[in-house]
Amino acid sequence: MANFKRSLVTTALPYANGPVHIGHLAGVYVPADIYVRYLRKKGEEVAFIGGSDEHGVPITIKAQKEGVTPQDIVDRYHYIIKKSFEDFGISFDIYSRTSSKVHHELSSAFFRKLYDKGEFIEKTTQQFYDAQSGRFLADRYIIGTCPRCGNDHAYGDQCEACGTSLNATDLINPVSALTGSKPELKDTKHWYLPLDKYEGWLKRWILEEHKEWKSNVYGQCKSWLDSGLNPRAVTRDLDWGVPVPIDGAEGKVLYVWFDAPIGYISATKDLTPEWERYWKDPETRMIHFIGKDNIVFHCIIFPAMLKAEGTYILPDNVPANEFLNLEGDKISTSRNWAVWLHEYLEDFRDKQDVLRYVLTANAPETKDNDFTWKDFQARNNNELVAIYGNFINRTLVLTHKYYNGIVPEPGETDAYDKEVLGEIPAIIERVEKNLDTFHFREALKECVGLARLGNKYLADTEPWKLIKTDEKRVRTILNICLQIAANLSTLTEPFLPFSAEKLRGFLNIGPIDWDKIGGEVIATGHRINEAGLLFEKIEDDKIQQQIDKLLATKKANQQEQTQVVPAKANISYDDFAKLDIRVGKIVAAEKVVKTQKLMKLTIDTGIDTRTVVSGIAEHYTSEEVIGRQVSILVNLEPKVLKGIESQGMILMAENADGTLSFVTPDKSVKPGSEIR
RNA sequence: GGCGAGGUAGCUCAGCUGGUUAGAGCGCAUGAUUCAUAAUCAUGAGGUCGGCGGUUCAAGCCCGCCUCUCGCUACCA
């Protein structure tokens, strides 16, 4: 690190198909912002880069759904995201976007250079083509009948009814989602980056030269490298994105994962004409802050791209975080299961730092963590208010009460004073050490520790008693408390910038350089301002509102799930009559070993006694199932499942939440009775 | 069943390349205190570090097997 002259800090580009939520913040933006503010505070040269990732298929689909252009979609979210980052105090030097002209030019030139150097492989494959719209269709744009479950609205990559992942060519009767016409298979040419060619180099670079990377990052890279790399397509047949700058590549764009990381470069270029100083000088230290889902792209693919290009530096570290859950469930944009930053800023005005604090104190640095509103409240009330805010308030109030707001002159310091004063630089050192190694949780804990120390010092020295007997001693004590407070205002600034400024307002001081803190930073005789509250308690009702909001989301999601699947195509009576459904009785049941869902049932069908394997083991135990009457399709072709021949199918009703219930006659019926 | 991640005090989590009596915060109990947003400070109770076996002078950390949780995936006739 000592050899670097400047830092380039990038943050994963949020995808512009939705606003930013606490998961993004905890994983990427808050730690990155803390780190950058810390570097700046130390006087280091740093560029802090962010921007919206605005290309890719999901945005085109969303646009189509809403009947607007992709540009409309990205415009909408880009500005929401940009504004909420600003309001939240994420101190980007630039927040750019990949639909910008600079980006198109730069990523296009980047591709062209690799192309001219012969770094790509050309490959032709068959893909569906919609002749009517004159376009190749991404898998998502093909709709057809699922070969597994018969759902006739399955997508080319996945059937959402049965969850199976598919190839577009698997679909029965595929149609184009754009025009409804029947697509044809047609040859299409694409360019591939031969990652296998970089495997040896990547292994050396990461596995040998960057053993210091976080274990989650290092481990994932290792597993990728060990399993071998394959050439990866870097172009797509799509009309939204950066056009492939080659003759004969009309209707093709750069794959979003090719152009997005170049967005870091173009954003830097957007920021300063001297952008090459950041990207091409080996004395620049590049750090990528990302979430764990982006590790492969930032540690394998982008470095391979940069290496292939040849003139760029590589990341020095990629401190990826794990994921943050919300109230026990995975955060999901599509399910609206999130705390949205722009909504938080509305609901909790001027409480940016509370969220910054909570997300840092509970950051998913080594494993997935859970955000709960109760924890949010507890951390605010018990830590920010009770420890930090309270210490500041005590100090300010006492100073006003005894010395009219003038910083008193210290007398001689005793052993305990010296010990406390000695702790300040020690804590600062630990904060630095943790920040330097991306341990933000621990660093923040150390900061709070300084406030704790202040509280303890007050409790031990009891100036409110001494004021009656030894007023001179009180001057020393309060002076020390004020020094701690002033140190805190700088020490906490990377984490809690708004409160740090507020605190400086109370103390009536300006910003203090990082290398000045550790000792006396507020002068004797200085007049402080009126005391106020650094943090406010958050009451239960405020928290309950947020919990209720989430419960409402949960309810809405359930209702959405209840949306009834549309009817299938009509069939003739003859078709129906082919089904032989009978009432049967379960006489024996046992779970099939080594499966999650399968249960082996022995059924008295009236006709015979037979074995049926059914996927109900997650909903019923074998005990509660025995003796039940059920509906059974008896003339279904037998099939062997897990080594057991299943001779029929039990009819089950599936609820919106996925739970199953038997279809049972409402009074007892003789086994073998027909169901028609 | 496959892949990935994980199981450390009541709760949320730390534990660096294995090394003395396993930590923090919250919560709880008891005590002290009143300058402070009923805030603070001290002390204490609480853990067979998921289980079993192995390697080692030494394992929460390494290896094997098992088990449970979460995510993806498969099975769901």
Side-chain angles (χ1 to χ4, degrees):
Chain A
M1 224 196 317
N3 304 329
F4 293 109
K5 278 190 177 159
R6 69 189 74 78
S7 295
L8 173 64
V9 175
T10 73
T11 50
L13 307 184
Y15 199 53
N17 72 336
V20 163
H21 56 61
I22 53 170
H24 297 121
L25 296 174
V28 178
Y29 306 101
V30 170
D33 189 60
I34 292 169
Y35 191 68
V36 166
R37 283 176 185 269
Y38 164 65
L39 293 181
R40 287 196 193 114
K41 199 76 201 163
K42 289 208 301 183
E44 296 189 14
E45 183 186 354
V46 48
F48 187 21
I49 304 297
S52 302
D53 174 12
E54 306 186 307
H55 296 139
V57 175
I59 279 167
T60 63
I61 289 181
K62 195 174 180 101
Q64 195 196 2
K65 252 187 200 162
E66 297 186 16
V68 298
T69 66
Q71 190 65 50
D72 292 335
I73 297 284
V74 300
D75 281 349
R76 181 197 305 161
Y77 290 113
H78 173 74
Y79 292 112
I80 291 177
I81 294 169
K82 189 168 195 281
K83 171 96 172 30
S84 62
F85 275 147
E86 269 168 28
D87 293 345
F88 193 54
I90 303 297
S91 57
F92 289 123
D93 289 307
I94 184 162
Y95 187 79
S96 188
R97 56 193 308 191
T98 61
S99 64
S100 73
K101 187 160 172 270
V102 175
H103 177 69
H104 274 239
E105 286 169 0
L106 185 65
S107 49
S108 188
F110 193 107
F111 181 94
R112 184 71 207 196
K113 178 159 182 195
L114 295 200
Y115 177 83
D116 290 340
K117 282 178 77 178
E119 297 286 346
F120 292 131
I121 301 170
E122 289 183 16
K123 251 199 253 186
T124 299
T125 54
Q126 288 209 314
Q127 271 212 335
F128 277 116
Y129 179 77
D130 181 339
Q132 201 170 318
S133 66
R135 285 195 278 198
F136 279 96
L137 298 168
D139 289 346
R140 267 268 137 173
Y141 276 118
I142 300 161
I143 295 175
T145 303
C146 173
R148 297 197 52 80
C149 70
N151 164 34
D152 54 9
H153 266 79
Y155 293 105
D157 54 350
Q158 192 189 25
C159 170
E160 292 188 341
C162 68
T164 310
S165 66
L166 302 167
N167 291 316
T169 45
D170 294 340
L171 290 176
I172 301 160
N173 296 326
V175 294
S176 162
L178 296 178
T179 60
S181 63
K182 189 173 154 55
E184 55 194 89
L185 277 172
K186 208 171 150 176
D187 285 348
T188 177
K189 184 159 75 176
H190 284 289
W191 288 268
Y192 291 70
L193 185 65
L195 291 176
D196 43 324
K197 191 175 137 187
Y198 299 93
E199 204 175 300
W201 166 73
L202 282 166
K203 274 185 174 158
R204 222 173 318 121
W205 178 59
I206 297 173
L207 303 183
E208 286 168 36
E209 293 169 26
H210 283 292
K211 290 185 195 287
E212 81 282 8
W213 286 4
K214 288 175 67 172
S215 60
N216 56 340
V217 177
Y218 187 90
Q220 194 169 327
C221 291
K222 186 169 182 339
S223 99
W224 264 73
L225 290 169
D226 287 349
S227 61
L229 301 177
N230 295 315
R232 206 173 163 105
V234 295
T235 54
R236 285 287 188 275
D237 289 302
L238 194 69
D239 58 0
W240 175 244
V242 178
V244 174
I246 296 175
D247 288 339
E250 288 72 29
K252 295 180 196 294
V253 296
L254 304 187
Y255 180 35
V256 62
W257 262 112
F258 187 86
D259 92 70
I262 298 175
Y264 298 142
I265 309 174
S266 48
T268 315
K269 191 176 178 185
D270 219 0
L271 171 68
T272 165
E274 295 178 55
W275 62 278
E276 285 178 305
R277 207 154 50 95
Y278 284 101
W279 279 94
K280 302 195 171 181
D281 180 349
E283 290 187 312
T284 297
R285 178 175 189 238
M286 174 156 70
I287 311 284
H288 294 308
F289 280 88
I290 58 170
K292 68 173 168 185
D293 51 335
N294 282 344
I295 289 173
V296 166
F297 296 104
H298 286 79
C299 298
I300 309 270
I301 301 176
F302 189 43
M305 287 164 57
L306 295 171
K307 180 81 177 169
E309 202 276 351
T311 65
Y312 288 99
I313 58 165
L314 299 168
D316 182 60
N317 209 324
V318 185
N321 271 342
E322 301 287 297
F323 282 159
L324 187 69
N325 292 326
L326 171 59
E327 301 283 356
D329 279 331
K330 201 174 168 177
I331 292 177
S332 159
T333 297
S334 60
R335 292 198 346 266
N336 191 29
W337 190 254
V339 175
W340 303 105
L341 177 57
H342 66 289
E343 290 183 5
Y344 173 88
L345 292 168
E346 285 284 314
D347 293 350
F348 293 90
R349 286 191 180 268
D350 300 322
K351 291 205 191 308
Q352 294 95 329
D353 281 353
V354 178
L355 187 58
R356 290 175 68 110
Y357 180 85
V358 173
L359 293 179
T360 304
N362 191 28
E365 287 178 2
T366 54
K367 63 173 188 177
D368 290 0
N369 278 351
D370 198 26
F371 176 95
T372 66
W373 281 109
K374 287 286 181 203
D375 179 63
F376 172 87
Q377 180 187 29
R379 287 193 187 274
N380 178 74
N381 293 355
N382 302 335
E383 296 172 29
L384 286 178
V385 174
I387 307 291
Y388 184 18
N390 187 35
F391 167 68
I392 298 301
N393 193 238
R394 300 170 85 180
T395 301
L396 299 179
V397 167
L398 288 172
T399 304
H400 279 288
K401 201 160 175 173
Y402 301 150
Y403 301 106
N404 295 315
I406 304 292
V407 177
E409 184 176 5
E412 249 178 64
T413 52
D414 65 17
Y416 184 44
D417 297 339
K418 287 192 173 76
E419 188 190 325
V420 168
L421 287 169
E423 258 306 294
I424 301 176
I427 287 175
I428 293 168
E429 198 177 310
R430 290 200 293 273
V431 170
E432 288 176 343
K433 196 178 150 226
N434 280 305
L435 285 178
D436 287 337
T437 51
F438 309 110
H439 294 121
F440 301 100
R441 292 174 73 120
E442 195 58 30
L444 181 57
K445 217 167 169 178
E446 289 290 348
C447 292
V448 179
L450 182 53
R452 280 182 203 280
L453 179 70
N455 278 320
K456 180 171 161 50
Y457 181 66
L458 276 174
D460 290 342
T461 55
E462 298 181 306
W464 48 90
K465 278 187 183 167
L466 281 180
I467 192 71
K468 294 166 199 155
T469 59
D470 188 359
E471 185 271 338
K472 229 180 142 190
R473 172 88 187 114
V474 173
R475 297 185 196 186
T476 307
I477 294 167
L478 278 187
N479 187 284
I480 289 175
C481 285
L482 285 160
Q483 301 306 337
I484 292 175
N487 273 286
L488 273 169
S489 77
T490 296
L491 192 63
T492 60
E493 192 177 330
F495 307 89
L496 309 170
F498 296 90
S499 312
E501 199 182 336
K502 200 167 169 187
L503 176 52
R504 285 201 303 265
F506 293 159
L507 294 171
N508 190 26
I509 58 176
I512 305 166
D513 289 342
W514 189 273
D515 56 16
K516 294 282 189 318
I517 59 173
E520 186 182 323
V521 288
I522 188 164
T524 298
H526 174 82
R527 173 177 290 281
I528 63 170
N529 286 326
E530 277 308 305
L533 295 182
L534 198 52
F535 299 99
E536 294 168 343
K537 280 196 75 163
I538 294 175
E539 303 298 337
D540 290 348
D541 58 339
K542 191 91 179 163
I543 293 300
Q544 196 54 47
Q545 278 173 23
Q546 294 298 326
I547 293 173
D548 289 344
K549 196 164 161 180
L550 287 173
L551 287 175
T553 297
K554 219 162 210 173
K555 215 168 184 178
N557 282 339
Q558 271 166 10
Q559 268 165 13
E560 187 137 336
Q561 277 172 20
T562 357
Q563 272 184 2
V564 181
V565 180
K568 295 178 186 166
N570 283 351
I571 58 169
S572 67
Y573 179 78
D574 288 346
D575 283 342
F576 170 71
K578 289 177 187 161
L579 302 175
D580 189 346
I581 307 173
R582 305 291 181 107
V583 173
K585 187 174 171 186
I586 301 178
V587 295
E590 61 177 289
K591 197 172 168 209
V592 180
V593 292
K594 304 225 172 192
T595 65
Q596 251 176 56
K597 296 187 182 175
L598 298 186
M599 195 180 284
K600 178 182 161 191
L601 304 171
T602 307
I603 315 270
D604 175 7
T605 63
I607 312 164
D608 52 20
T609 300
R610 58 172 77 187
T611 301
V612 173
V613 177
S614 185
I616 59 172
E618 281 182 326
H619 305 282
Y620 292 96
T621 63
S622 49
E623 290 80 36
E624 59 184 330
V625 137
I626 293 172
R628 268 179 191 274
Q629 292 212 310
V630 296
S631 309
I632 173 170
L633 179 62
V634 294
N635 64 336
L636 187 66
E637 210 51 56
K639 163 135 184 182
V640 176
L641 287 168
K642 293 279 155 194
I644 303 164
E645 187 179 65
S646 180
Q647 304 154 317
M649 176 170 166
I650 305 292
L651 269 46
M652 305 294 293
E654 184 173 2
N655 210 356
D657 58 5
T659 56
L660 299 176
S661 358
F662 288 105
V663 178
T664 308
D666 72 345
K667 44 186 172 245
S668 189
V669 173
K670 192 168 167 251
S673 303
E674 288 183 76
I675 297 176
R676 330 182 255 241

